[in-house]
Amino acid sequence: SGDIYSGTWEANLKHGQGTYYFGGDLSRLVGTWEKGQITTGKWELDGAAVYEGEFKLGRPVGKGKFTFTSGLVQTGAFEEKKPVEGEEEETGEGEGPKAPNVTWKGDSIVSF
């Protein structure tokens, strides 16, 4: 896959400051890692934008901002979608918690 992690480790898990390079699309996660997961930092999307904010189980969550290569900035939040009534999220046997299902709710972008 060509993925590379460069940073600090603790108990064989990414922990502290580090950068994870995705070989497939050249994007990067740069920031603070705890027990193998990024918690805060930047998601650098090569040639498109940079997202800055918090993360949960590898996905952006909560308030953050996108800075696009054009210079435009959009603030907003990745909000967790709640399961539809009657649906339950299942975890398979031996699987850990599932990453949150999120959607981006961005504020208006105004440029002059």
Side-chain angles (χ1 to χ4, degrees):
S1 71
D3 294 358
I4 299 171
Y5 174 74
S6 175
T8 57
W9 296 83
E10 184 176 293
N12 281 338
L13 296 171
K14 300 170 196 77
H15 196 85
Q17 295 301 304
T19 301
Y20 190 95
Y21 300 89
F22 293 92
D25 64 7
L26 304 179
S27 65
R28 295 165 297 285
L29 290 174
V30 180
T32 303
W33 299 74
E34 292 181 16
K35 299 179 182 174
Q37 300 290 328
I38 189 165
T39 57
T40 59
K42 296 179 184 180
W43 179 18
E44 299 175 351
L45 304 162
D46 194 48
V50 174
Y51 169 77
E52 294 178 66
E54 294 185 11
F55 294 81
K56 179 178 176 183
L57 298 173
R59 294 218 177 132
V61 294
K63 291 183 180 181
K65 74 175 181 176
F66 278 99
T67 303
F68 298 94
T69 55
S70 65
L72 291 176
V73 175
Q74 184 180 41
T75 59
F78 275 101
E79 298 176 354
E80 290 189 54
K81 294 181 187 177
K82 302 294 181 202
V84 176
E85 189 174 325
E87 284 185 6
E88 272 190 43
E89 290 188 42
E90 295 182 24
T91 57
E93 192 173 317
E95 291 182 16
K98 293 202 179 262
N101 185 9
V102 296
T103 187
W104 175 251
K105 300 285 184 177
D107 300 329
S108 295
I109 297 176
V110 179
S111 66
F112 298 95

